[in-house]
Amino acid sequence: MALTLSHPGVYIQEVPSGVRTIAGVSTSVAAFLGAAPRGPVNKAVRIFSFSDYERAFGGLSDDSELGYAVRQFFMNGGTDAWVVRVVKEASPAQRTLRSATAVDVLTVTALDPGVSGNSIQVRVDHATAVPSSTFNIQFIRASDGRAESYTNVSMNAKDARYLLGLTQGVSQLVKLERPLSQGALDALPAGTSVSGTLGDVQTLLDATHTDFRVAVNGLDPVGVSIALPADISGGTPTQRLTSLSAAIQAKVRAQATGRPALANFTAARNGNTIVLTSGTGGESASVRVLPGARNNAAGVLLLGSLAGGIETDGAAIIRPAPTPDSATLTSDAFGATDLDALPDATHTSLRITLDGLGPDLVGLGDAVAAGGSPAAKLEDVAARLQAAVRALRPGTPAYRDFTARAQGSNLVLASGTRGQGSTIAVAAAPANDLAGSLHLLAGAVASPPPVDAVLEGGTETAYGPDDVYAAFIGNRAQRQGLYALEDADLFNLLCLPAITHSGVLADAVSYCEERRAFMIVDAPPTAVDPATMVAVATGTALPKSDHAAVYYPWMHVSDPLKNGKPRLAPPCGTVAGLYARIDGNRGVWKAPAGTDANLTGVVSLAATLTDGENGSLNPLGVNCLRTFPVYGAVSWGARTLRGADQLTSEYKYVPVRRLALYLEESLYRGTQWVVFEPNDEPLWAQIRLNIGAFMNTLFRQGAFQGSSPREAYLVKCDRETTTQDDINRGVVNILVGFAPLKPAEFVVISIQQLAGQIQA
């Protein structure tokens, strides 16, 4: 931009240099397609190690070559890959969780289609900071032990801890849906906050305990300041509690400003408690009591979950019920006088076994059950029994979370664990037995063995020989099969392990030509000898493209699933890793063959070739894998599928084609800035400068033939390449030429005897 010169002095301006550095793209990002034990279907997933593959796709599987190919890729030097899982058809596993009122409230669906989702276990409990309204949920995949836990969550969509909001786009195991209509949500009850049991509020409240705040239905909290003694008037504790409740209601409503949740808010006495109720119902209905900024009274009034109150949201009734079940033991019914004199000195103990641990002797002492009614006495015995059992093994969940409760005229004992393995048993104590008197022996009923709550219904059908084309060459618009790689920004090498279907190979190579990538083709497994491979190479089974290369024969690799026993595997993954290693060590212009192109992890080759057999395949463009003394298994060929001598292709060799692809992709990405620039000599000069700098860097790295840049490459962009007619049509033409290095495929050494010379 031109400077505005207004006063005498020195002005500074920055002038662009025109240098736009072109960065070379990666040359060895591999893409793999095939069957896997689990993982997303028809979705490209990027991985950087075999551990990533194991986490995303389940690792090796005896009936799939994909895992072995990916493993060999990383073993041989690969560092970056995309993987697409392919199946014929698959459906995800599901489970619908129900509330305590038997209403379907949460549908859990496995993220990955197929049978792997059937191993995902769901666990729900209500042991939260607000146990009357929130819950904890956990998803555990049994196949690899991966677990996700979401604690203190709510089914209220406006809550910050709304479960579906927390899991969406985050969970790697499941996706969740709430199968409830808006009408059902609107019909949910009002939220409540119930205080603990209170004494006389006249003794609880004073000048330093007068304030608290109330948040209703997620609205901003409103302050409540109790005026003493006016707000607790009355001659009895009951009257004073009633007066206080009315004052709280009036103070909250006074701040409603047209908001129904506050305008219809109620506060009422219920026995010796205060019940605060939101003015409207629905999924967002809630009442939260918060401490006052000063002179906090919430604690002394036992209001709020932190102070011992019970806060129940409207959405609490649509949270999932605890699952799976705990093992329980329900006593026979107690009579009205059964606990009048128990426990006593001769009835103090019982033995209990939880989850196979024990039996442990439990002592309740000899104090008679406290309480003025049979129900109160039963509750006292339950509380004493629960405390005694929990104290036995506080570090063991079955004991630590053990519960004993009165249910009508029965005593219900429950193990602290849930699901499979949760058990409970009670036996008589060797002395001073109390179990029989508590009706926990004869007449007691044990629950059926609990089972884990797992997702169900996941199915998948693997592709067979007749399904290969449809599975791998799917619908491009829906990005299925090979076209799932549309989501991959860049890949250079394509591997379809063990796929030799001619139609699939033809379409895959065509896609590679479109994406400026190179395909590594496996020889057919039926080519068990060189003669058969010659027939394959001279036929129509393989695409005659310079964007692909075929390797023969297959190889044996160690199989971790069978204690290292050799397994026959296709070579594409190993060769792709070799490409990556050579690219990193020597450059993409170096042929991935020779004595330094050793194949890591290869135990042996399926066929041991002689020089003559190699000589029958090499002129046809078949790259042979050989075994040599000292060097072991190596790649001994570097021709494309247009590398047959009779085709006389200029892209006969793999490194020449891959170098050209590297240049094309790098220049395509590095010259995007040219679009819409003024099409004249200044632009052409910048283009020559930037592309020339890029090519010169490659020349100095040894990528081209020639002893000088003039011999090695050419960059031309001027009036000769871009005519006035081109300019009028908005076209700029850039000519980039390079002198590729060809591999020394045949080394000829001539040896001659020197005849004796007679000196004159």
Side-chain angles (χ1 to χ4, degrees):
M1 179 180 291
L3 293 174
T4 301
L5 307 179
S6 59
H7 62 83
V10 177
Y11 293 80
I12 301 294
Q13 66 176 348
E14 293 183 358
V15 179
S17 66
V19 175
R20 296 175 183 263
T21 304
I22 297 176
V25 298
S26 175
T27 60
S28 51
V29 178
F32 292 88
L33 280 78
R38 64 166 183 264
V41 174
N42 293 322
K43 180 181 178 182
V45 177
R46 195 170 189 178
I47 61 173
F48 298 97
S49 67
F50 186 65
S51 296
D52 288 347
Y53 177 83
E54 290 178 310
R55 283 187 288 269
F57 294 96
L60 301 177
S61 175
D62 188 56
D63 58 357
S64 170
E65 298 296 344
L66 176 64
Y68 293 92
V70 173
R71 181 171 180 264
Q72 284 294 111
F73 171 72
F74 286 108
M75 285 182 64
N76 279 272
T79 58
D80 193 350
W82 293 89
V83 178
V84 178
R85 180 187 175 206
V86 177
V87 298
K88 179 182 178 181
E89 56 186 23
S91 60
Q94 274 191 346
R95 188 180 187 92
T96 299
L97 303 183
R98 313 196 82 187
S99 67
T101 56
V103 175
D104 293 344
V105 293
L106 187 66
T107 300
V108 183
T109 304
L111 205 58
D112 297 338
V115 297
S116 64
N118 295 334
S119 69
I120 297 178
Q121 183 185 157
V122 183
R123 289 180 170 268
V124 178
D125 67 71
H126 295 173
T128 66
V130 187
S132 55
S133 292
T134 57
F135 62 100
N136 302 320
I137 190 165
Q138 186 178 34
F139 307 104
I140 306 169
R141 187 166 58 197
S143 58
D144 63 347
R146 182 166 188 167
E148 295 178 352
S149 296
Y150 301 91
T151 58
N152 297 303
V153 294
S154 169
M155 292 296 285
N156 174 8
K158 295 183 180 179
D159 193 291
R161 297 289 300 171
Y162 178 48
L163 175 62
L164 275 67
L166 293 176
T167 58
Q168 185 175 12
V170 175
S171 175
Q172 299 297 307
L173 296 178
V174 298
K175 54 184 176 182
L176 306 178
E177 182 182 357
R178 191 175 61 176
L180 296 168
S181 67
Q182 189 59 48
L185 295 173
D186 293 340
L188 293 176
T192 62
S193 178
V194 181
S195 73
T197 302
L198 300 174
D200 189 350
V201 294
Q202 188 175 41
T203 63
L204 298 176
L205 299 173
D206 55 35
T208 61
H209 298 90
T210 57
D211 294 4
F212 60 88
R213 294 172 297 154
V214 180
V216 181
N217 290 15
L219 299 173
D220 291 337
V222 296
V224 175
S225 183
I226 301 168
L228 298 177
D231 289 341
I232 55 172
S233 60
T236 66
T238 298
Q239 291 173 340
R240 287 189 282 271
L241 186 57
T242 301
S243 175
L244 175 61
S245 300
I248 293 172
Q249 175 176 301
K251 293 175 187 294
V252 172
R253 288 187 175 186
Q255 303 174 67
T257 61
R259 293 172 289 183
L262 296 177
N264 300 320
F265 172 87
T266 63
R269 179 187 64 81
N270 182 18
N272 292 327
T273 65
I274 300 174
V275 180
L276 310 181
T277 306
S278 62
T280 58
E283 69 168 312
S284 62
S286 64
V287 178
R288 293 285 185 271
V289 177
L290 308 173
R294 59 186 181 87
N295 300 332
N296 177 39
V300 296
L301 292 177
L302 305 182
L303 282 170
S305 57
L306 294 178
I310 299 174
E311 295 178 330
T312 306
D313 299 343
I317 66 172
I318 59 170
R319 60 179 174 165
T323 188
D325 296 328
S326 297
T328 62
L329 180 67
T330 303
S331 72
D332 201 358
F334 281 77
T337 61
D338 286 354
L339 294 176
D340 286 352
L342 290 175
D344 59 23
T346 59
H347 300 84
T348 60
S349 306
L350 55 85
R351 290 190 296 179
I352 193 167
T353 301
L354 297 175
D355 295 6
L357 299 175
D360 292 307
L361 188 65
V362 183
L364 273 66
D366 57 5
V368 175
S373 66
K377 293 176 181 178
L378 187 58
E379 289 177 357
D380 178 67
V381 169
R384 289 161 62 179
L385 178 58
Q386 176 175 296
V389 172
R390 289 184 173 185
L392 292 173
R393 300 174 187 256
T396 303
Y399 286 76
R400 182 191 63 214
D401 301 323
F402 167 85
T403 60
R405 71 182 190 279
Q407 182 174 294
S409 60
N410 300 93
L411 185 62
V412 180
L413 314 184
S415 169
T417 59
R418 296 178 176 274
Q420 188 173 359
S422 177
T423 62
I424 184 170
V426 172
N432 301 327
D433 178 58
L434 181 61
S437 300
L438 294 182
H439 306 297
L440 292 172
L441 300 177
V445 178
S447 64
V451 295
D452 292 334
V454 295
L455 307 192
E456 300 172 330
T459 62
E460 65 181 78
T461 304
Y463 57 82
D466 297 332
D467 311 311
V468 170
Y469 186 85
F472 279 80
I473 310 299
N475 186 310
R476 185 161 191 169
Q478 298 178 9
R479 301 194 175 187
Q480 295 175 340
L482 178 68
Y483 300 116
L485 292 172
E486 294 284 285
D487 292 330
D489 175 58
L490 174 71
F491 71 94
N492 315 103
L493 305 172
L494 178 62
C495 299
L496 308 181
I499 300 301
T500 57
H501 187 284
S502 59
V504 173
L505 296 181
D507 283 20
V509 166
S510 177
Y511 187 63
C512 283
E513 293 173 358
E514 178 184 334
R515 293 292 302 269
R516 291 184 285 275
F518 192 83
M519 184 175 181
I520 301 173
V521 179
D522 293 322
T526 54
V528 294
D529 56 65
T532 307
M533 191 62 211
V534 168
V536 171
T538 55
T540 59
L542 299 176
K544 299 300 186 286
S545 169
D546 56 30
H547 280 65
V550 65
Y551 285 82
Y552 171 84
W554 283 34
M555 56 187 59
H556 291 99
V557 299
S558 297
D559 188 353
L561 299 182
K562 296 183 178 179
N563 200 28
K565 181 180 178 181
R567 172 193 173 97
L568 187 64
C572 65
T574 304
V575 173
L578 170 65
Y579 278 25
R581 187 175 79 237
I582 296 295
D583 288 356
N585 294 341
R586 301 285 298 275
V588 69
W589 48 87
K590 165 66 174 72
T595 56
D596 61 345
N598 59 296
L599 306 176
T600 304
V602 175
V603 177
S604 63
L605 299 175
T608 302
L609 303 179
T610 64
D611 288 342
E613 291 168 335
N614 192 163
S616 67
L617 294 170
N618 191 69
L620 300 176
V622 176
N623 298 316
C624 295
L625 305 178
R626 301 283 303 274
T627 301
F628 294 114
V630 179
Y631 299 108
V634 297
S635 173
W636 206 246
R639 295 196 181 194
T640 69
L641 279 171
R642 288 197 65 82
D645 291 341
Q646 294 182 10
L647 295 176
T648 63
S649 171
E650 62 180 335
Y651 289 109
K652 175 179 183 178
Y653 293 110
V654 170
V656 176
R657 165 43 72 196
R658 295 188 64 231
L659 175 59
L661 293 175
Y662 169 71
L663 294 175
E664 292 169 13
E665 190 68 31
S666 298
L667 294 178
Y668 170 77
R669 293 169 182 261
T671 56
Q672 293 294 317
W673 63 271
V674 175
V675 181
F676 296 116
E677 289 292 308
N679 194 359
D680 205 354
E681 181 57 42
L683 174 65
W684 304 339
Q686 288 187 59
I687 292 172
R688 292 193 299 269
L689 172 65
N690 290 295
I691 296 180
F694 173 68
M695 298 296 284
N696 189 61
T697 299
L698 293 176
F699 166 70
R700 288 189 286 108
Q701 292 174 351
F704 307 129
Q705 284 190 66
S707 58
S708 67
R710 180 181 295 274
E711 296 175 353
Y713 64 87
L714 165 70
V715 180
K716 189 173 180 62
C717 182
D718 52 24
R719 285 285 179 185
E720 292 184 17
T721 63
T722 305
T723 65
Q724 185 59 47
D725 181 59
D726 292 327
I727 295 173
N728 294 340
R729 291 185 294 111
V731 176
V732 57
N733 293 311
I734 308 168
L735 174 62
V736 179
F738 69 101
L741 292 168
K742 308 288 179 66
E745 193 175 19
F746 307 103
V747 179
V748 179
I749 301 175
S750 299
I751 299 177
Q752 179 184 23
Q753 290 187 15
L754 295 178
Q757 301 291 326
I758 300 176
Q759 293 183 350

